[in-house]
Amino acid sequence: MASDLQAPPDRGASSFVYPPTSANLRWFAEALRRGDLVGIPTETVYGLAAHALLPEACRGIFELKGRPLLDPLIVHIAHQEQLKDLAEVSVQAEEVLKQFWPGPLTLVLPKRSCVPDIVTAGLPTVAVRMPGHPVARELLGYCEFPLAAPSANPFGYISPTSASHVRDSFGGRLPFIIDGGDCSIGLESTIIDLSHPEQPAILRPGAISAAELSAALGTEVAYTGPQKVTAILAPGMLDKHYSPHKCLRLFSILDVPPPSADTARIFFARPSEPQKNDYWFSENGDLSEVATKLFRLLRELDKGPHQKLLCEVPHMAPAGDLAAAIGDRLHRAAAKSKS
Ligand code: TXA
Ligand code: MG
């Protein structure tokens, strides 16, 4: 469905990318109401948003991303009151959303009938998140309807952490992208399955750790990861995902491969004696900074002159913490495609 609203009032410096002025955000809310797709900033990664209650608009997300229809989408809301219209909210769900919303946490809950099947891939549950990014919040506030939004990358490629990443991937096929700057977290939200509240489980690790969620719920939250959801073939759960086009291999800091002319070596922290093709996410290896820069540096090097990429991966990571989230993305990015 194409918008006939012409163009947002305030233009940006580059085509398809628009500054987040209030006039533009009101205009984008109207475009979304009519069924258009819009690239939106969040604090985790950029999203490819559509009106979550319009099945045809949501279908456009799958087409543009090249995403299989059996992979469900995350629904984004502005206010906690919107949640009860979309899902059955348990006491446990209220407890975690009170502590972590708005923020990088997605709850999987039993869905209500108004949520279209295309959003949940026919599952009886829906994934919902209230983002903390001020631009996303202002836009969602103008919308007054929920937005379905997966990460704004072609299916299987590295997630986007800036408006230019989104433009690089889709060009004129996505003429509406809102510039909210670089994502402060840089990794997708933690997903907790609370559809069986007595058995909470983390499906995808992120910035909110299993330990924080266990403390909030007063019960052990297991990190079941991919095993639990293989049946639904969730994209973030597939063996291969978040992948550069170039060959990517991983190493532990305990076993660093020698430098080589055609290969970029990527470290968490600046090596003591950096070589010509060495790169690092953070001067001192701070894990939050590694997370923030992870996808950006992988994208840059994927476009750069090196033939191959070698990247450090955490050699020890307690299940469900930030090191585990970083390791999870890197292992999938480096996985070979299953035929
Ligand atoms: O940080 C984020 O979560 C970003 C931003 C844009 O909000 N979104 C994001 O969406 O990462 P996406 O589509 O790339 O990943 C959503 C994940 C998928 O692995 C999907 O299968 C899972 O959420 N998911 C969605 N609904 C689900 C459900 N009902 N049960 C289990 N997993 C679900
Ligand atoms: Mg994704």
Side-chain angles (χ1 to χ4, degrees), residues 10 59 63 87 95 130 133 147 175 194 201 257 276 300 328:
D10 301 321
R59 187 174 299 278
E63 284 170 5
E95 198 51 52
M130 186 194 292
H133 194 296
L147 292 177
L194 284 171
K276 182 162 172 274
E300 275 167 25
D328 168 79

Side-chain angles (χ1 to χ4, degrees), residues 45 65 67 150-153 156-157 159-160 188 204 235-236 241-242:
V45 299
K65 272 185 69 99
R67 176 172 171 130
S151 50
N153 51 299
Y157 193 60
S159 298
E188 297 84 349
R204 180 175 69 185
H241 204 65
Y242 313 110

Side-chain angles (χ1 to χ4, degrees), residues 40-48 65 67 70-76 104-109 119-120 123-129 131 149-153 159 187-191 193 203-204 229 232-238 241-242:
I40 65 165
T42 85
E43 72 278 32
T44 56
V45 299
Y46 272 66
L48 179 59
K65 272 185 69 99
R67 176 172 171 130
L70 41 87
D71 295 327
L73 305 174
I74 293 177
V75 176
H76 297 66
L105 181 70
T106 295
L107 310 186
V108 172
L109 298 170
V119 170
T120 62
L123 289 170
T125 52
V126 60
V128 187
R129 146 164 147 76
S151 50
N153 51 299
S159 298
L187 290 185
E188 297 84 349
S189 59
T190 304
I191 302 180
D193 183 353
L203 303 183
R204 180 175 69 185
V229 291
I232 64 167
L233 265 185
M237 318 294 180
L238 287 175
H241 204 65
Y242 313 110

Side-chain angles (χ1 to χ4, degrees), residues 41-312:
T42 85
E43 72 278 32
T44 56
V45 299
Y46 272 66
L48 179 59
H51 190 320
L53 305 180
L54 294 180
E56 274 317 300
C58 294
R59 187 174 299 278
I61 292 177
F62 289 91
E63 284 170 5
L64 188 58
K65 272 185 69 99
R67 176 172 171 130
L69 281 169
L70 41 87
D71 295 327
L73 305 174
I74 293 177
V75 176
H76 297 66
I77 56 175
H79 308 289
Q80 288 185 12
E81 304 78 71
Q82 289 173 285
L83 181 61
K84 63 181 179 347
D85 299 332
L86 300 167
E88 288 169 31
V89 187
S90 56
V91 183
Q92 288 85 344
E94 267 170 13
E95 198 51 52
V96 290
L97 67 83
K98 206 166 65 192
Q99 288 201 32
F100 299 109
W101 277 8
L105 181 70
T106 295
L107 310 186
V108 172
L109 298 170
K111 83 172 189 94
R112 297 213 187 276
S113 57
C114 68
V115 182
D117 280 344
I118 192 165
V119 170
T120 62
L123 289 170
T125 52
V126 60
V128 187
R129 146 164 147 76
M130 186 194 292
H133 194 296
V135 173
R137 290 179 61 69
E138 188 176 344
L139 175 72
L140 281 159
Y142 295 140
C143 287
E144 294 174 343
F145 49 82
L147 292 177
S151 50
N153 51 299
F155 181 67
Y157 193 60
I158 307 166
S159 298
T161 57
S162 72
S164 61
H165 291 166
V166 183
R167 192 200 50 212
D168 288 351
S169 289
F170 297 115
R173 291 184 300 144
L174 180 66
F176 303 142
I177 302 165
I178 303 172
D179 190 355
D182 289 339
C183 300
S184 58
I185 293 177
L187 290 185
E188 297 84 349
S189 59
T190 304
I191 302 180
I192 182 169
D193 183 353
L194 284 171
S195 58
H196 302 287
E198 65 295 345
Q199 281 178 299
I202 291 180
L203 303 183
R204 180 175 69 185
I208 309 257
S209 69
E212 287 173 285
L213 289 164
S214 299
L217 286 167
T219 181
E220 181 82 6
V221 180
Y223 168 43
T224 57
Q227 297 84 345
K228 180 130 194 276
V229 291
T230 40
I232 64 167
L233 265 185
M237 318 294 180
L238 287 175
D239 283 349
K240 184 173 169 63
H241 204 65
Y242 313 110
S243 305
H245 299 305
K246 287 184 180 157
C247 169
L248 170 69
R249 292 287 168 260
L250 307 179
F251 66 87
S252 155
I253 198 68
L254 305 178
D255 186 15
V256 178
S260 122
D262 67 348
T263 303
R265 292 192 308 181
I266 316 164
F267 295 85
F268 283 8
R270 170 199 274 271
S272 49
E273 291 175 23
Q275 307 293 309
K276 182 162 172 274
N277 294 327
D278 285 352
Y279 300 83
W280 49 93
F281 296 114
S282 160
E283 282 297 311
N284 59 6
D286 172 70
L287 281 182
S288 302
E289 198 180 353
V290 174
T292 307
K293 307 260 179 73
L294 186 78
F295 291 141
R296 189 187 322 158
L297 187 55
L298 285 179
R299 275 179 176 256
E300 275 167 25
L301 293 174
D302 201 27
K303 288 202 285 193
H306 311 287
Q307 302 266 306
K308 293 186 202 151
L309 312 179
L310 272 169
C311 186
E312 182 180 340

